[in-house]
Amino acid sequence: QFFVFCHGLLQLSQLLVSGYLKSSISTIERRYGLSSQTSGLLASFNEVTTSSPLSLLYLGSRVHRPRLIGCGALLVSLAGFLMALPHFITGPYEYDQSSCPLVTAGTSSNSTDLCQPGSPGAWANLSHASCTPHASRENHEVLLVMFVAQALLGIGGVPIQPFGISYIDDFASERNSPLYLGILFSVTVIGPGVAFMLGSAMLRFYVDIDKVSTAEVQLTNKDPRWVGAWWLGFLVAASLVALSALPYFFFPREMPKEVREVLHTHTQTHTHTPWCSPSFPVVLLRNLRHPVYLLVVLAQVNISAMVAGLATFMGKFLERQFSLTASLANMIIGAVNIPGAMVGIVVGGAILKRFQMSLRQCSALCVLGMLLCLLVAFPLLFLGCPTQKVAGVTYWDSAGFGHHDAGCNAQCRCPQKGFNPVCGSDGVEYTSPCSAGCSHVNIHTDSSILNYTRCSCISGPAGFARPGTCGTGCSHLFVPFVVLSCLAGILASTSHTPSFMLILRSIQPEDKSFAVGIQFMLLRVLAWMPGPVLYGSAIDTTCILWEQRCERRAACRYYDNTLFRHR
């Protein structure tokens, strides 16, 4: 029972490291100018290294499993600290109002945002060539460090779950094993939930909280240029993993059975040695040719691929579809969706223990849970809003939006790289006050911007624009979306523990560690690794389609997640 407690705590903190990256992915994209495809590859890169060392898992109960788990946990902790390193090796985040969206080289004066007829303006000399090299060089350094950290995260995670599951199943009674595994899986689910809650808390702080004073920051967390302190969460998570790893160096190699069983059965299970065991290929083929094992793993691959993509980009979707801040989107996922999945896992394990289900009944429970999930999730196909009107990106009219230096803002000489969105009084969003033709700004007494006026591109006698995006009209659909997605997650998660019991009870006892390792390898290679990349590619592809009509391609890039639909 103490091992179950320690292992639940370790898996919680391990998944806190990997889950925190997903909670802050949109912020890291904004900070370092990453595409959705690149961020999706980064989020799944740890699965590449996790799926390689099968020979370690083949040893199974023949090695000191707790100590290997502890060593893997220390590597995970190191990976977490490395993920935070880019913040300390790069310069401060300098947001600007018109050019070079993520890395600037000049003033932050609000006047550079405005339409300045007859003059190229202070930013006109900052061409694409003068902005890109600095950003590209910085991004390459950041990506190298983060990919190395993700590789270490994958290697360190290899022994943790397979060895932990087999260790518990070997020394727990057959009656309590499903309950222990159900508790373990449910505690494991808390990890990503806590990660999203941690992300929600940390992203409320400005990214350079350790470098600049609060008075110097002129943005709020509702501003689309806001970047939160994404790196703080990695330091917290890595420290927790390091502490959780310590007890594993003091657990014994073997434990007495929780309930006394026939002596020869215990001996047969734990005196197996590698010298009298079948060769590696024989054991591999024996498990892959087992029909129950193979079919259950393939079923898990299908649902895991969907979950992996949603876990990475669900927050990004909520931000755009329902006009939420990154902090609030993370809070919804961490406080509602993930705890719902945890409830489903516990219910599935409790049902198994209460009715002492056979393998056939376990498979029936899995099928029932997934069918009910499909029925509940089907209405989600019809919840959504049309894409917002963004001048020159998704909306064109006779004024000539989308063509640089044409139409209503031709005299303004607006820079093509400008990104400081404003919402016009006509309900159309503009990429900057200059693109809306605004030549005057009204300031609050606290020095914040009230609105922009004298806007030549906004219809009406007194066209004006307010800072920030226009948002969407989907606020009334937000609660139904959260409720249905949470219920679907609960129903799908009831199949989690029964599916694992199908695997553990259908294979030979000496193959448990290896079979679970093969299972996780297939999940990583076929689901967790390609899922985020495919979702990210879909987002980027949608933006490319819009770019064919949009001359302001830099602006299109910043609206890619607006065009991504949950369907």
Side-chain angles (χ1 to χ4, degrees), residues 26-31 93 95 101-102 199-209 214 217-230 319 325-327 419 421:
S26 62
T27 299
I28 295 176
E29 285 181 7
R30 189 178 299 116
R31 173 64 179 91
Y93 169 65
Y95 62 90
L102 296 172
S200 175
M202 296 304 175
L203 295 181
R204 296 174 187 269
F205 299 102
Y206 185 64
V207 61
D208 291 323
I209 189 175
T214 306
V217 182
Q218 300 179 356
L219 301 179
T220 66
N221 61 0
K222 295 183 179 180
D223 194 294
R225 296 163 295 170
W226 172 270
V227 173
W230 59 271
E319 291 176 37
T325 64
S327 176
F419 181 71

Side-chain angles (χ1 to χ4, degrees), residues 42 71 86 88 219 227 235 238 278 354 380 403 432 476 484 547:
L42 176 64
C71 291
F88 300 98
L219 301 179
V227 173
L235 298 181
R354 173 65 179 82
L380 293 176
H403 301 281
S432 69
H476 63 291
L484 288 176
E547 285 180 0

Side-chain angles (χ1 to χ4, degrees), residues 56-236:
L56 176 64
L57 299 174
Y58 171 66
L59 297 176
S61 58
R62 308 170 187 90
V63 297
H64 199 302
R65 287 174 285 183
R67 287 181 184 173
L68 283 179
I69 293 174
C71 291
L74 292 180
L75 277 180
V76 171
S77 177
L78 176 60
F81 287 117
L82 282 178
M83 285 298 296
L85 183 60
H87 171 75
F88 300 98
I89 63 175
T90 57
Y93 169 65
E94 298 180 3
Y95 62 90
D96 74 306
Q97 279 79 10
S98 55
S99 103
C100 293
L102 296 172
V103 180
T104 65
T107 179
S108 61
S109 172
N110 290 328
S111 62
T112 58
D113 262 350
L114 301 176
C115 176
Q116 300 177 17
S119 173
W123 295 97
N125 294 327
L126 287 176
S127 64
H128 179 79
S130 67
C131 297
T132 302
H134 182 195
S136 299
R137 183 171 63 253
E138 184 176 66
N139 290 350
H140 288 162
E141 296 171 355
V142 167
L143 286 176
L144 177 61
V145 173
M146 287 188 167
F147 274 108
V148 170
Q150 285 291 89
L152 290 177
L153 177 62
I155 295 173
V158 168
I160 293 179
Q161 194 160 24
F163 281 174
I165 291 174
S166 62
Y167 193 83
I168 291 172
D169 195 60
D170 281 347
F171 304 116
S173 67
E174 291 190 4
R175 177 178 177 82
N176 289 334
S177 180
L179 179 62
Y180 290 156
L181 293 181
I183 293 174
L184 181 62
F185 292 142
S186 64
V187 172
T188 299
V189 173
I190 296 177
V194 176
F196 278 95
M197 295 297 292
L198 182 63
S200 175
M202 296 304 175
L203 295 181
R204 296 174 187 269
F205 299 102
Y206 185 64
V207 61
D208 291 323
I209 189 175
D210 60 325
K211 300 176 183 178
V212 299
S213 64
T214 306
E216 297 179 62
V217 182
Q218 300 179 356
L219 301 179
T220 66
N221 61 0
K222 295 183 179 180
D223 194 294
R225 296 163 295 170
W226 172 270
V227 173
W230 59 271
W231 52 276
L232 272 177
F234 285 113
L235 298 181
V236 174

Side-chain angles (χ1 to χ4, degrees), residues 509-523:
E510 64 269 19
D511 292 345
K512 283 181 182 178
S513 293
F514 186 67
V516 173
I518 292 292
Q519 172 198 12
F520 279 96
M521 184 205 71
L522 293 176
L523 287 174

